[in-house]
Amino acid sequence: MSLVTDSPVHSSSSDDFAAFLDTELDSKSSASSASDDEAPNERHSDSAASSSPDQDKEAEEDDDSDFQSKRVKRSKVETVEIVEDDGGTTSFASLKHNSEASISKEICTHPGSFGTMCIVCGQLLDGESGVTFGYIHKGLRLGNDEIVRLRNTDMKNLLRHKKLYLILDLDHTLLNSTQLMHMTLDEEYLNGQTDSLQDVSKGSLFMLSSMQMMTKLRPFVRTFLKEASQMFEMYIYTMGDRAYALEMAKLLDPGREYFNAKVISRDDGTQRHQKGLDVVLGQESAVLILDDTENAWMKHKDNLILMERYHFFASSCHQFGFNCKSLSEQKTDESESEGALASILKVLRKIHQIFFEELEENMDGRDVRQVLKTVRKDVLKGCKIVFSRVFPTQSQADNHHLWRMAEQLGATCSTELDPSVTHVVSKDSGTEKSHWALKHNKFLVQPGWIEAANYFWQRQPEENFAVNQIKN
């Protein structure tokens, strides 16, 4: 029986692995083992200090002998099975078995490894296969078959409790950070407005002196996480390094209620400069992604909800080429009730409701990507758009990102004017098509009208994106 066991619904497979491997791999077979709440390095030092002469001699042996010793100990490992209580929650129950008996009956398939050692039978393995899940436990690698098994099991548990998966980017999605050296003179006032790190749950602006950094949480983020956690099993996935990811997780989730071990950094990815769901223990058909960078998810665009970037600090504006005052320099911020996170939470609720309450397919056949596509197509449903001087005339119109974006939002796009056209999108009110729109009382809007609808998942007031008319 595999150590890689069925995961509880209220803590994902990654959480289970982290807790289980910490217990199994740090425990001792002797009665003088260190207590469970000691840190890994404390366990090591304590055991060295209290070891017997025989143990001291064993500790001096070479790495191969030590590894073989661990392998033998692992051959008498506890196997674990799932027990579900009357309340529907799932917990681990340990059943002690001598694995030598089970191994004699069937050959171990080596579902995963810790370092080069099989996590079931303890055999030393040659070569590497499967996927590394270092964010769950350092050195953990799972085989493809075991990953499929885990995903299937976790999926059943989550669906039973009406939950899906939600992958959350950090920078410009949930928060904004800046190096202290990059702060402008207009931002110096922030140094006197930072919140205490002693109780981060009540603050939103933090000075991280050890990292020479200041971080601002996006308005509404704490309510967003609390509400989203009722509908989703949530992961953090950032292109930042692991140290930064863990520090941000502490600010967002000080009580470790939402993410726990589910914090993925660029160090954990399998492809350079890309994010992928191969390191997530969740079925792709049940995963939604919130991120401000579409190109980071080239293989999973159908799962992606693109976020409007949060530019609180000046350095963030400069990074993306904006020559304007940042929110901090203007001494303002996004709206709590009408900002990006509040808007997206409404979308997530709608998707969740449709997935669990309105689809006719059996639960196993449902796909959140199809729901996402359906909800997106409602945004500009009924709109027919003609573009005027928005992209070069020699280019193929239907390949332009605004054309594709409008169609994804449910609009019909055309190159020809006719009475059914509802909107002309242009930057210039002096074009022939713009004149036609004004003459026939059609909406004449800037390209930002489509982009705003895409970010907020709602048709925006056309008057807020009106094209300035040239005065004669």
Side-chain angles (χ1 to χ4, degrees):
M1 187 175 181
S2 171
L3 291 182
V4 186
T5 62
D6 300 348
S7 64
V9 68
H10 293 306
S11 77
S12 75
S13 301
S14 41
D15 292 337
D16 302 334
F17 267 123
F20 180 72
L21 289 175
D22 280 338
T23 300
E24 282 299 318
L25 298 174
D26 291 332
S27 64
K28 296 187 184 68
S29 57
S30 67
S32 61
S33 62
S35 63
D36 287 339
D37 59 352
E38 289 179 321
N41 60 342
E42 292 173 337
R43 292 191 188 99
H44 180 76
S45 59
D46 289 349
S47 63
S50 62
S51 59
S52 66
D54 289 340
Q55 289 172 321
D56 289 337
K57 181 178 180 181
E58 182 181 354
E60 295 172 359
E61 293 178 350
D62 59 35
D63 290 342
D64 291 338
S65 298
D66 182 55
F67 217 52
Q68 181 66 14
S69 175
K70 290 180 180 178
R71 185 187 69 78
V72 173
K73 291 178 181 179
R74 293 298 176 268
S75 70
K76 295 184 178 182
V77 73
E78 291 182 352
T79 56
V80 180
E81 66 178 18
I82 289 299
V83 173
E84 186 166 323
D85 60 29
D86 295 334
T89 59
T90 315
S91 59
F92 280 126
S94 297
L95 298 177
K96 290 191 175 182
H97 290 289
N98 188 325
S99 66
E100 291 173 353
S102 60
I103 291 173
S104 65
K105 296 180 181 178
E106 59 177 306
I107 299 175
C108 180
T109 59
H110 310 312
S113 61
F114 184 76
T116 57
M117 180 179 66
C118 175
I119 61 175
V120 174
C121 68
Q123 179 178 329
L124 297 181
L125 306 177
D126 296 327
E128 293 183 345
S129 61
V131 179
T132 299
F133 288 83
Y135 69 93
I136 297 176
H137 202 293
K138 187 177 180 181
L140 176 65
R141 177 177 285 270
L142 298 178
N144 294 329
D145 290 344
E146 189 65 11
I147 293 172
V148 170
R149 191 189 72 82
L150 273 171
R151 285 175 175 163
N152 289 339
T153 301
D154 213 40
M155 178 80 165
K156 291 176 182 177
N157 287 332
L158 283 186
L159 293 182
R160 190 183 305 126
H161 290 76
K162 294 190 175 181
K163 277 193 170 186
L164 299 168
Y165 300 95
L166 182 62
I167 313 300
L168 297 168
D169 174 51
L170 286 178
D171 294 287
H172 306 109
T173 298
L174 299 183
L175 50 81
N176 192 202
S177 295
T178 185
Q179 293 291 329
L180 298 181
M181 61 169 45
H182 294 152
M183 294 182 68
T184 65
L185 292 176
D186 289 340
E187 293 178 315
E188 286 188 353
Y189 75 95
L190 294 173
N191 291 317
Q193 296 188 3
T194 55
D195 297 303
S196 172
L197 291 172
Q198 299 304 311
D199 185 6
V200 299
S201 63
K202 298 180 180 179
S204 65
L205 181 65
F206 302 100
M207 175 80 73
L208 304 172
S209 301
S210 61
M211 304 180 76
Q212 287 296 295
M213 180 181 293
M214 186 177 288
T215 294
K216 173 67 173 63
L217 303 187
R218 196 166 199 165
F220 196 71
V221 68
R222 298 204 186 279
T223 302
F224 174 87
L225 293 176
K226 181 179 180 180
E227 296 291 326
S229 69
Q230 304 302 309
M231 302 179 285
F232 298 92
E233 191 73 28
M234 299 189 297
Y235 285 73
I236 284 174
Y237 199 147
T238 177
M239 280 298 193
D241 63 28
R242 183 146 190 81
Y244 175 74
L246 293 175
E247 201 65 36
M248 295 303 103
K250 291 177 185 177
L251 299 180
L252 293 166
D253 184 21
R256 294 173 66 87
E257 301 174 66
Y258 309 131
F259 305 114
N260 203 5
K262 304 185 294 295
V263 180
I264 306 172
S265 69
R266 69 181 180 212
D267 307 322
D268 304 305
T270 58
Q271 189 174 351
R272 189 175 178 85
H273 304 311
Q274 280 290 300
K275 296 179 179 180
L277 296 180
D278 51 349
V279 293
V280 175
L281 290 176
Q283 294 276 21
E284 290 185 23
S285 60
V287 174
L288 291 175
I289 302 165
L290 294 190
D291 203 314
D292 67 285
T293 306
E294 183 178 19
N295 289 338
W297 296 96
M298 296 302 290
K299 294 182 179 180
H300 306 288
K301 289 186 178 182
D302 290 342
N303 301 81
L304 177 65
I305 297 176
L306 192 64
M307 292 291 295
E308 182 183 22
R309 287 193 173 107
Y310 181 47
H311 296 296
F312 184 77
F313 295 108
S315 61
S316 180
C317 292
H318 299 158
Q319 177 186 349
F320 290 92
F322 295 119
N323 187 22
C324 60
K325 291 280 188 179
S326 67
L327 292 171
S328 62
E329 290 176 312
Q330 298 177 56
K331 297 186 178 181
T332 187
D333 207 346
E334 280 187 359
S335 167
E336 279 270 348
S337 59
E338 299 179 3
L341 290 177
S343 298
I344 291 302
L345 182 60
K346 296 175 184 176
V347 176
L348 294 177
R349 286 197 186 109
K350 187 173 183 179
I351 293 172
H352 184 273
Q353 178 184 350
I354 293 174
F355 186 93
F356 285 103
E357 299 178 16
E358 298 182 18
L359 295 184
E360 296 179 356
E361 298 92 343
N362 291 331
M363 196 66 76
D364 292 341
R366 298 180 187 184
D367 193 325
V368 75
R369 292 168 292 193
Q370 295 303 316
V371 179
L372 181 62
K373 186 179 296 185
T374 300
V375 173
R376 182 181 274 125
K377 278 188 171 293
D378 282 340
V379 176
L380 294 182
K381 185 178 180 180
C383 297
K384 186 171 182 179
I385 298 172
V386 168
F387 294 88
S388 179
R389 293 188 187 175
V390 174
F391 31 83
T393 54
Q394 66 271 20
S395 66
Q396 193 168 343
D398 57 4
N399 278 338
H400 193 273
H401 77 279
L402 282 175
W403 183 295
R404 296 199 308 269
M405 184 183 292
E407 288 188 330
Q408 289 172 354
L409 294 172
T412 301
C413 295
S414 175
T415 58
E416 303 296 331
L417 295 171
D418 65 59
S420 65
V421 171
T422 59
H423 294 73
V424 171
V425 176
S426 180
K427 299 178 181 179
D428 184 358
S429 64
T431 69
E432 182 180 345
K433 291 177 180 177
S434 295
H435 283 306
W436 179 89
L438 294 171
K439 180 180 178 180
H440 293 85
N441 293 319
K442 306 295 184 178
F443 291 112
L444 178 60
V445 294
Q446 299 176 21
W449 177 75
I450 297 175
E451 294 174 323
N454 186 58
Y455 284 129
F456 289 97
W457 289 67
Q458 185 176 350
R459 179 171 165 175
Q460 300 297 295
E462 282 83 359
E463 58 268 24
N464 294 346
F465 298 87
V467 180
N468 293 328
Q469 298 183 36
I470 300 174
K471 295 181 180 180
N472 294 328

